[in-house]
Each structure stands twice: as structure tokens, then as C-alpha cells.
Amino acid sequence: MKRTSDASAMARCIGTTLGLVLLLLIMGAPRAWAGADPAFSFYGYGKIVPVPNPAIAGETTTITVKVDNLGDTAATNVDVQLSFNDWGVTFMGWQPIGTQTVSTIAAGGTADVVFTYVFENRTHTCLEALITGADEDTDPNNDRGQINMEVINSGETFGYNVPIVNHGEGDL
């Protein structure tokens, strides 16, 4: 008798686990199942693109923000706000660069919103894009994207040092 109840309990556990795994596989990445869903995929990486990067203090930087519509209907009147925070230089927190409205983003489509800005200080800064309004938005959890960016002085170079460790037995 004990074997049957143990086997039965194990079968229920496996069934529940398989059900959860299947649910996760079916759902995949967060996505809206109905309606419009203007969004920043990948938390803004590759979706907020400054040129030049790094930006040059005192010169114009063009920042393209790509907004995805993950929903199955068109997103309309999508307000996109871009801000920066120069962390400890001006001590002003998030400072707005501007807000623009995209009239329509087709279902499954994208729209580019272009901002220009002149950064005044040489520093590490963050850029943040927010969807502050839309006629339809089924998932407000993906309405924010952010990237890190450096602002340097003209003629200065900037590089990131990335340590590489070989844990293998042969040479890299």
C-alpha cells in the first residue's frame, strides 16, 4: 500500500512540475495576449541608442529610442519621455530631455523616436525612456528602459577594461 501512495504522490508532483514547465514554455517571455502593449524589450539595451557614444560634453547627441508594440492590436498616442541622471554632478536626479508622441505603432511593430540633447558635464550618466501614456497598454511593467552612458570631453578617449580569465587547460 505504501508503494502505491508514494508512487501516486510522486506522479502528482511530477505532473504539477511538468504542468508548470509547460506553462512557462508556452508563455515564454512576458507578452500581452490581447490589446496593444507599447514596450521596451530587454530593458532598453539596443532600444536606446545615443550617437555619438560616448557623448561629447557641449556637443549635440542624437538619441534614438525604439518602442516595440508587443500586443496584437495597434498602439496609439504613445507618449515617450526621455530623461538623464548624471549621478552626483548636478545632484538634480532624473532630468527630462523631452517627451514625444507616436501616433500609431502597428501590432508587432516598432517606432523610432528621436531626441537631441547637449550634455554639459563630463560624467557617467544614465538615460531612461518611459512610456508615460498610451491609448492602450496591457502591460505597464515593461514601460521603462534604461542604459548607462559616458559623457567625455572633446578629444578625450574612453574605454572599458574587461578582465578575461582562462579557466581552461589550454592557452586562449
Side-chain angles (χ1 to χ4, degrees):
M1 219 38 171
K2 187 164 176 44
R3 288 187 138 205
T4 305
S5 63
D6 285 350
S8 177
M10 183 181 288
R12 281 193 307 274
C13 181
I14 291 171
T16 302
T17 302
L18 287 175
L20 288 172
V21 168
L22 285 173
L23 181 63
L24 289 172
L25 287 173
I26 291 168
M27 292 183 64
R31 119 177 239 311
W33 292 99
D37 184 18
F40 297 108
S41 303
F42 311 114
Y43 193 62
Y45 294 100
K47 302 296 180 175
I48 304 170
V49 181
V51 174
N53 188 10
I56 300 170
E59 297 184 17
T60 300
T61 301
T62 301
I63 304 153
T64 302
V65 177
K66 184 177 292 291
V67 183
D68 299 319
N69 179 2
L70 303 178
D72 59 8
T73 62
T76 56
N77 298 318
V78 180
D79 294 331
V80 179
Q81 175 184 312
L82 185 66
S83 301
F84 75 97
N85 191 331
D86 57 11
W87 301 106
V89 175
T90 61
F91 298 97
M92 295 177 65
W94 288 105
Q95 301 170 63
I97 291 174
T99 301
Q100 294 187 35
T101 302
V102 179
S103 59
T104 303
I105 306 173
T110 62
D112 287 344
V113 183
V114 179
F115 297 86
T116 58
Y117 192 74
V118 176
F119 295 94
E120 297 299 324
N121 301 301
R122 180 196 184 282
T123 187
H124 172 80
T125 191
C126 293
L127 293 173
E128 178 185 65
L130 294 171
I131 295 170
T132 58
D135 285 346
E136 291 187 59
D137 189 3
T138 59
D139 187 359
N141 293 318
N142 56 16
D143 289 353
R144 179 176 181 264
Q146 182 178 321
I147 65 164
N148 294 312
M149 182 185 76
E150 301 301 321
V151 180
I152 63 172
N153 290 320
S154 180
E156 197 174 22
T157 59
F158 182 82
Y160 290 102
N161 293 320
V162 179
I164 298 174
V165 178
N166 181 2
H167 292 290
E169 293 188 21
D171 293 338
L172 287 175

